[in-house]
Amino acid sequence: MKAWTAALAALLIAGAAAASELPDAPYHAQYAQVLDELSAGAAQGGSRIKRMIGFLGAGRGARDPEQVLERLLQAHWEWMMRISPEWATFVGYPGQGARWSDPRVAAVDAFQALQKRTLDVARSIDREALSPAQQLNLDLFLYETEIDVAGHDFPGELLQVNPMYGIHSGLAHALDAMPLFNAGQLDDYLNRLQGISDKLAGGTQNLRQGLEQGVTWPRVTLDKVPDQVDGLMPARDEDSPLLKPLDKLPPELAASGRARALEIFRQQVKPALREFAAFLREEYIPGAVEATGLNQLPQGEAWYAWRVRKMTTTDLSPQQIHELGLAEVERIRQEMYAVMREAGYDKQDIRGFARHLARDKRQFYTDGDSMVRDYRALAKQADAALVKLFGRYPTLPYGIEAIPAHEASGRSGAYYLRGSAENGRPGIFRVNTARLAESPRYEMEALLLHEAVPGHHFQLALTQELEGLPAFRRHGGFTAYIEGWGLYAESLGEEMGFYQTPADRFGALTFEMWRAIRLVVDTGMHALGWSRQQAMDFFEANTGRGPVRIEAEVNRYLVMPGQALAYKIGQLKITELRARARAALGDAFDIRRFHDFVLSEGALPLKVLEARVDRWIQENKHAQAPQTHDDESGNTSDRKP
């Protein structure tokens, strides 16, 4: 046994669980053996690699850097799909639908040990011997792995629940994403349903360890989480969101499938959910920390700095981002004042203008179905306008629906769920219909453009369909690019025929202001000593939003430190690159070609995106430059190639 394999085996049997108790231990051992072989690489060839069925293809050795990288990426993806079965479900990777990932600390330790080993192997590959395309693959894989390994210093695995995401909300999402078109898929669903009790028990272990170490999200953010768990147990068991996926069953399986699922739910799942909700109410939330900044947790200052780097893909410090946010808030405020004057409102009072608009009852819905219907009408308008700005389009469709009632109370205004062509699942734009009085019509256009097209659905679905990209790039990505593109997509509204009234333009600016404020309050609360109330007051003064929505947003920033910075940082960079390309190319600038190029490699770190766009500009300038040459008669002439 190689030294590394032995070390891994020792790790797996240490601590809270023996190796036999970790369901992913065989996958870890297989992947460790692959890494041993890849470490040898050119020196030893690939004879044993060829025998690693399920991880590597047969017939080729691993004698050169191109093959070593290709096989590392393939083996790593196979390993990730096996130890992250929920992710496998979302991307449409087959064979993992009967299981849940193991949330326990021992499982995280085993994963992190192999991730460090993966980084060593990737670093050993001779980059200069790779093709340009493979160099980019290696660079991105190293970037992701290095920053993830740097995050091993921080106990993120102890933070299992909050109102935005967690074990409880992930249950329904994963089950709903499963295909249920045949008997085998039904068996997977029932096995996964049966495994919920163990999943919650493992999560509870982590949460208790978090209490012992003083590592929890702020107590003030957690009050709605038990209610979200309760929402999985409605008055009628048949109405549980965990059983809703059964609606997809074909008629010949429906009756028996529902009966079996209902029995599992009543005998195993419901008692486990009740126990988990009671634990949250009686033990976890009362014991959670009161501090509202990540910098107040153990290693918190370094932890937040790491999250800022990961989420923004930049080296900007929290102070620099804070100051950038203040400047953006002031710039957008002046644009909002101009729109308010256009609407006949002369006061420089954003909250006052929002109240002025709110007096028009036509700006608000009285039922959620009407809101969803109107969003769908806006989507058709957006779909038709894409041809003005893009030359390539994804084939995966998308739908629009309400956020499920059991999770709506702790959610913000909307979110997007990636689709999967492999699983026959469209992308889904979900809107929050639980707070109609807080959701004016004049904000709908910007939200639709961000979450659906040309925002998240357009970009993410197009990336999934790009040919030649390794799986980790088609199904992964970088938050600053992804959310930056979503916010940039909002700015395309006028070019697409939206934002025709001052109210709609005010709504678009409100959303942009919202993202600028994030730069201020996220860094303020997690690095610069701001209180939660100070953040809420700053938010209210500059947006005119109501207190319920502001509280939900500020709570979101508290439990997702640094994530909210990605939007503005990414949007500013994409906007800067567009302006740079237009200035350099002049009349030759083609917005459709620019957008297609920015989207052509999927999500990238912002520095990588900038370098690629700069090269694209130079190549296009060269292509457009007049060239002097001699013709056959000896005269010179100018022509463009």
Side-chain angles (χ1 to χ4, degrees), residues 215-449:
V215 178
T216 74
W217 293 126
R219 184 185 307 167
V220 71
T221 68
L222 299 173
D223 60 320
K224 292 183 173 61
V225 176
D227 294 338
Q228 292 175 341
V229 178
D230 290 342
L232 300 173
M233 304 175 287
R236 278 176 23 100
D237 294 338
E238 295 86 343
D239 295 332
S240 171
L242 301 177
L243 302 180
K244 184 179 181 297
L246 296 169
D247 293 345
K248 296 181 287 189
L249 282 174
E252 64 272 16
L253 295 174
S256 62
R258 287 183 182 279
R260 293 163 63 193
L262 193 57
E263 181 181 7
I264 293 170
F265 180 81
R266 286 172 173 163
Q267 294 185 1
Q268 300 181 43
V269 178
K270 195 172 182 179
L273 289 170
R274 284 175 173 164
E275 182 178 353
F276 189 62
F279 161 72
L280 293 173
R281 286 193 173 96
E282 298 168 11
E283 182 178 345
Y284 187 69
I285 294 177
V289 301
E290 295 186 10
T292 54
L294 188 61
N295 61 341
Q296 298 178 60
L297 295 185
Q299 305 180 79
E301 185 175 345
W303 195 349
Y304 183 62
W306 171 78
R307 286 191 62 88
V308 169
R309 291 196 306 274
K310 180 177 176 64
M311 293 298 171
T312 69
T313 66
T314 72
D315 296 324
L316 293 171
S317 69
Q319 183 65 50
Q320 289 173 312
I321 293 173
H322 189 83
E323 293 171 359
L324 176 62
L326 291 172
E328 279 292 285
V329 166
E330 180 58 29
R331 178 187 65 79
I332 299 167
R333 182 190 291 126
Q334 296 305 318
E335 292 190 27
M336 295 176 82
Y337 290 161
V339 170
M340 290 156 57
R341 289 192 297 271
E342 182 183 351
Y345 190 88
D346 293 330
K347 299 178 182 178
Q348 293 189 350
D349 181 359
I350 294 172
R351 286 181 294 178
F353 186 66
R355 289 193 295 268
H356 167 74
L357 292 176
R359 296 189 186 102
D360 183 355
K361 300 305 179 184
R362 295 172 298 179
Q363 284 287 354
F364 296 89
Y365 290 90
T366 57
D367 69 280
D369 289 342
S370 296
M371 173 185 278
V372 172
R373 184 182 62 246
D374 286 354
Y375 264 116
R376 289 170 178 164
L378 286 174
K380 292 181 179 179
Q381 181 182 342
D383 289 341
L386 293 175
V387 69
K388 302 176 183 178
L389 298 172
F390 301 92
R392 299 184 64 230
Y393 317 94
T395 60
L396 186 73
Y398 67 97
I400 301 175
E401 61 184 37
I403 293 176
H406 72 275
E407 62 175 272
S409 62
R411 281 284 189 174
S412 55
Y415 63 84
Y416 173 74
L417 286 174
R418 302 188 194 205
S420 168
E422 292 82 356
N423 275 353
R425 187 182 72 250
I428 298 295
F429 166 34
R430 283 182 169 172
V431 298
N432 199 332
T433 59
R435 298 194 300 267
L436 297 178
E438 295 276 334
S439 305
R441 291 176 186 260
Y442 61 75
E443 294 180 349
M444 291 174 61
E445 293 181 349
L447 193 55
L448 181 280
L449 298 179

Side-chain angles (χ1 to χ4, degrees), residues 1-77:
M1 181 180 287
K2 295 291 183 84
W4 164 249
T5 308
L8 177 68
L11 173 65
L12 291 175
I13 63 175
S20 60
E21 295 174 335
L22 288 178
D24 294 332
Y27 305 127
H28 293 322
Q30 285 180 326
Y31 182 54
Q33 188 174 355
V34 172
L35 291 177
D36 284 337
E37 293 293 342
L38 289 176
S39 295
Q44 296 184 6
S47 57
R48 290 180 62 192
I49 296 177
K50 296 174 186 177
R51 297 197 295 269
M52 294 306 300
I53 298 173
F55 282 97
L56 300 176
R60 293 181 299 168
R63 298 181 182 278
D64 64 71
E66 290 266 345
Q67 292 176 338
V68 172
L69 176 60
E70 179 181 341
R71 296 186 175 216
L72 173 62
L73 297 182
Q74 182 182 354
H76 182 267
W77 181 252

